[in-house]
Amino acid sequence: MAPTRTGRDGIAAACAVSAFAACAALSAMAMPGPGPGAAQEPGPRESVDIRQEINDHFVGRLPYGWWISIPEERLSAFHVTVHIPDWWRGNPTAAVMDLCPDRRSRIWSVTKRLDLTAFYRKQPWPGFECRP
């Protein structure tokens, strides 16, 4: 059994612990940023892996045989090339337009523009710009 502190030693130890707790509470209050009741939304660029969010968005929406390039950041926007297989038939630019993220997507917390370009039959097609 560990000995307990009594008398002046016990009071000094209790004061040291409560002083530390008070100091920690004051320093937390002095820190900039949202308080404990603030909404838990991710801050821009800090907690959202934009490339992973873009990849997750397209993985769920691309038809069979389609794939995307690694998203690249260009002039404060992200650029994605959508590769369409040669056997597919249709207008590739119109098909890419339907792939824009929803307005509530976490992608828009990081960027305000997503440029999509279709790559079909060994050539790039006119691009399309998605915005929230």
Side-chain angles (χ1 to χ4, degrees):
M1 190 151 89
T4 59
R5 294 183 181 186
T6 58
R8 271 191 276 169
D9 289 340
I11 293 171
C15 287
V17 169
S18 63
F20 175 75
C23 181
L26 286 173
S27 66
M29 289 172 32
M31 297 291 287
Q40 297 297 324
E41 289 209 13
R45 297 194 182 265
E46 290 132 19
S47 60
V48 176
D49 181 358
I50 185 66
R51 287 176 175 83
Q52 184 63 45
E53 288 292 327
I54 291 171
N55 188 48
D56 291 346
H57 168 75
F58 284 101
V59 164
R61 300 191 72 194
L62 289 176
Y64 172 77
W66 295 33
W67 58 280
I68 63 167
S69 63
I70 296 173
E72 300 174 11
E73 188 171 12
R74 296 182 192 166
L75 300 173
S76 71
F78 281 85
H79 178 79
V80 176
T81 301
V82 180
H83 296 266
I84 303 172
D86 290 342
W87 50 260
W88 183 81
R89 299 289 179 247
N91 182 339
T93 303
V96 167
M97 286 181 192
D98 290 336
L99 297 174
C100 285
D102 187 60
R103 286 184 175 182
R104 295 179 306 260
S105 174
R106 289 177 51 165
I107 293 170
W108 304 126
S109 67
V110 176
T111 187
K112 296 301 174 207
R113 199 175 87 218
L114 182 64
D115 297 329
L116 304 178
T117 302
F119 194 84
Y120 178 58
R121 295 195 174 172
K122 299 178 179 60
Q123 64 184 359
W125 285 66
F128 183 74
E129 186 177 282
C130 300
R131 291 187 181 259

